Amino acid sequence: MKFKVLTSAALVAALFSGYATVQTSAAAAPAVKVTVDAKAVSFPDAKPYTESSRVLIPVRFVSQALGGSVDYKNKTVSIKQNDGKTVSMKVNGTKVSVGGKTVTLDVPVRVKQNRTYVPLRFVSEALRATVDWNQAQRLVSITTESGAATPVPTVPDADNAFDWKPGYTDLAKALFKGNVQAANGKLSLTIPGDARAEYFDFEKSKRIKLDPGNSYSYSIGKGKGFISITKIYPGREELEGYSIFLDAEAEGGKSGEVIVSGNNGKGTVRGTLSEVINKANLF
């Protein structure tokens, strides 16, 4: 199930968000599948895989499916679009040039099976597409602007109301019960001590690491970014993660609301912050 509005803000949000958060899987898990505008992407040899909750893909196949041309020289991968925009990255590096701007990846560019692997979400964002992750099917669905479907409302229906993934609620309790709150046009929260968090700033086109134990406040409204928060459970196959969208209208919600996205173990679920807090208070 998808909840997308392809505004510029929602595009970036979809690419980085936890509703697009990729759950970590065991090495023996089924292969990751990728589609572009509902058409399967063929990987004739090396296959996509997950690392540090990110999907990495052989760069050539997906980039070409998204309309980019790929070149590899001196351990540097370059992806060029028809409009001249270029993405450049070095193997084993985390610094990437996007249209002349430098962005830092949290997973380095890799070489496996004689193929260059890059983080799927980053490449898709750089090539102006949106990404949806289906944990149950291990399916990454990429939608380009030209292939975008008519947006549907963000708020789930009664059969898909926001709920929790069984056995993965420690972060929910620490985050939504007596912590995060929205008031007077601001969202305030303290990052739980064992969580990993980032703020994605649309206006500056950058992501900012948020330190555990520290408190933060962000404006709510049109064009604002979102917060991604995850918790790793040592020795377990999956993680717990949420995205908090500060621009609800770009996600199909109402002005002034905040939208929360997560995964209940069956697929992506969403709800308003007030709905999620009320549900967390039942713990």
Side-chain angles (χ1 to χ4, degrees):
M1 180 171 59
K2 297 182 180 178
F3 303 93
K4 297 189 181 71
V5 176
L6 293 177
T7 61
S8 58
L11 258 173
V12 181
L15 300 163
F16 290 114
S17 75
Y19 98 77
T21 294
V22 179
Q23 306 298 315
T24 311
S25 300
V32 175
K33 300 180 289 291
V34 180
T35 63
V36 173
D37 293 336
K39 296 180 181 179
V41 177
S42 175
F43 299 95
D45 39 39
K47 308 297 183 183
Y49 73 98
T50 58
E51 177 180 335
S52 299
S53 79
R54 299 288 186 264
V55 172
L56 278 78
I57 49 96
V59 62
R60 185 171 301 276
F61 305 112
V62 170
S63 297
Q64 289 176 340
L66 290 171
S69 61
V70 182
D71 189 30
Y72 180 82
K73 292 180 180 178
N74 300 322
K75 296 186 178 181
T76 299
V77 179
S78 297
I79 305 169
K80 188 173 183 179
Q81 292 180 271
N82 293 332
D83 62 3
K85 182 179 180 180
T86 299
V87 180
S88 179
M89 58 194 86
K90 284 188 174 293
V91 172
N92 296 325
T94 57
K95 300 295 184 182
V96 179
S97 174
V98 182
K101 296 182 179 180
T102 300
V103 178
T104 301
L105 305 178
D106 50 7
V107 177
V109 178
R110 304 291 196 194
V111 173
K112 293 184 63 172
Q113 297 176 265
N114 295 317
R115 292 289 184 185
T116 304
Y117 280 78
V118 295
L120 171 65
R121 298 186 185 284
F122 174 81
V123 173
S124 299
E125 185 272 338
L127 298 180
R128 300 190 184 96
T130 185
V131 175
D132 185 38
W133 168 252
N134 185 309
Q135 168 67 18
Q137 299 180 25
R138 292 186 62 77
L139 172 65
V140 178
S141 301
I142 304 173
T143 304
T144 64
E145 289 180 305
S146 60
T150 301
V152 296
T154 293
V155 179
D157 56 32
D159 293 330
N160 295 283
F162 190 97
D163 59 2
W164 318 105
K165 179 161 53 178
Y168 292 85
T169 57
D170 290 356
L171 177 58
K173 295 173 183 177
L175 183 60
F176 299 114
K177 191 172 182 179
N179 185 348
V180 63
Q181 58 181 318
N184 301 318
K186 296 278 188 179
L187 181 134
S188 302
L189 79 166
T190 299
I191 306 302
D194 56 355
R196 172 181 175 180
E198 293 175 311
Y199 171 63
F200 295 86
D201 188 331
F202 293 155
E203 295 173 342
K204 297 181 180 179
S205 297
K206 64 186 296 186
R207 55 189 185 183
I208 302 166
K209 180 181 178 182
L210 307 182
D211 295 323
N214 286 0
S215 298
Y216 299 88
S217 179
Y218 296 99
S219 296
I220 298 168
K222 189 175 179 62
K224 301 303 178 183
F226 76 99
I227 300 164
S228 174
I229 305 179
T230 58
K231 171 183 169 62
I232 295 174
Y233 289 74
R236 297 171 68 176
E237 295 182 354
E238 297 182 353
L239 55 76
E240 181 184 3
Y242 305 97
S243 290
I244 302 174
F245 296 91
L246 303 177
D247 183 357
E249 288 185 280
E251 298 301 311
K254 297 179 181 179
S255 175
E257 289 182 337
V258 173
I259 299 293
V260 178
S261 170
N263 189 300
N264 67 354
K266 299 177 181 178
T268 300
V269 288
R270 299 189 130 197
T272 64
L273 177 60
S274 58
E275 291 170 344
V276 174
I277 289 175
N278 288 339
K279 194 170 187 68
N281 286 334
L282 298 177
F283 282 130

